[in-house]
Amino acid sequence: MKLALQLRDRSVQGRCLCLFADIHRNRHDYERALPRYEAALNITIEIGDRLGQIYVLYGMAKNMVLTKQFRQALEYNEKALELAETIGNRLLGLRVEWQLEQLYNTLGQYEDGKKYSNAYKQGLNDLGLMCSICNQSIGETQAELEPLHCWHLFHAHCLESYSCVSKGCPACRRTLVKPVFV
């Protein structure tokens, strides 16, 4: 941060402030986190860093959830999702959709939660982040992943129970063993 201030690098200053706020939030010091998030948001808006704004808004929303300010968390998440869609960052959009689903369900607004749940699942499918053997999202739990020669990823334990030799890749059905010609 000191070097960013000396060099007047506003982008790095904003990122540092966001990281400092994340550290405070992770230490359960929510009151100190919020002003740092706000300062980071002001800098990212000032310089037009929309990706930085998404990260800051996402962090602010997490901070609001931890302080039980759910309505404010919804507002920050919806702004972050709008920005993620504007710049086409589907992966960050997925994170925000998942958090929105959890928030709406916490508030008892299950129809809104279902909307974001469906969007989240569709996004996982669109990005190919689902194990097509067990139909669970990849990365949701700690599980070893196994890439095949066609570059599709699966849970290692799912591949153990699936016969790739006879059926090929579970996603594209490509034969995984090259035939030997005599």
Side-chain angles (χ1 to χ4, degrees):
M1 179 68 163
K2 189 175 183 179
L3 187 58
L5 288 169
Q6 290 172 349
L7 297 174
R8 295 189 175 109
D9 189 336
R10 300 292 283 163
S11 177
V12 173
Q13 289 173 23
R15 189 73 184 124
C16 285
L17 284 168
C18 184
L19 291 172
F20 293 155
D22 288 343
I23 290 168
H24 286 297
R25 186 190 77 234
N26 290 331
R27 291 182 176 171
H28 308 287
D29 191 357
Y30 311 121
E31 289 75 31
R32 290 185 74 189
L34 189 58
R36 282 157 181 79
Y37 280 128
E38 289 170 343
L41 185 61
N42 288 336
I43 289 172
T44 56
I45 289 171
E46 173 190 315
I47 64 174
D49 179 4
R50 293 185 291 180
L51 182 62
Q53 290 173 45
I54 296 168
Y55 280 112
V56 173
L57 288 166
Y58 186 69
M60 291 174 86
K62 284 181 166 183
N63 200 58
M64 293 296 114
V65 167
L66 293 169
T67 59
K68 308 283 189 236
Q69 298 177 47
F70 299 118
R71 298 285 175 202
Q72 190 69 41
L74 284 173
E75 184 179 316
Y76 289 143
N77 272 315
E78 287 171 354
K79 286 180 186 175
L81 183 59
E82 182 181 321
L83 280 169
E85 289 172 349
T86 299
I87 66 171
N89 192 323
R90 191 67 187 118
L91 203 52
L92 275 177
L94 284 176
R95 285 174 142 181
V96 175
E97 286 168 345
W98 182 84
Q99 195 165 352
L100 282 165
E101 173 195 358
Q102 301 304 308
L103 278 169
Y104 278 116
N105 288 339
T106 299
L107 294 170
Q109 298 175 358
Y110 301 109
E111 287 300 315
D112 290 325
K114 184 77 169 163
K115 174 181 126 182
Y116 287 107
S117 174
N118 291 338
Y120 175 76
K121 288 176 184 172
Q122 182 61 47
L124 287 174
N125 284 329
D126 292 347
L127 293 174
L129 299 175
M130 298 289 282
C131 174
S132 58
I133 297 172
C134 67
N135 289 323
Q136 298 295 315
S137 64
I138 291 176
E140 208 168 273
T141 60
Q142 288 283 52
E144 188 177 332
L145 300 178
E146 186 70 36
L148 297 180
H149 296 292
C150 56
W151 296 104
H152 287 113
L153 284 175
F154 303 95
H155 297 116
H157 61 86
C158 292
L159 278 176
E160 288 173 6
S161 64
Y162 182 84
S163 176
C164 291
V165 176
S166 62
K167 299 178 186 174
C169 171
C172 66
R173 304 291 182 217
R174 182 180 287 166
T175 304
L176 300 177
V177 179
K178 292 182 180 180
V180 178
F181 296 102
V182 190

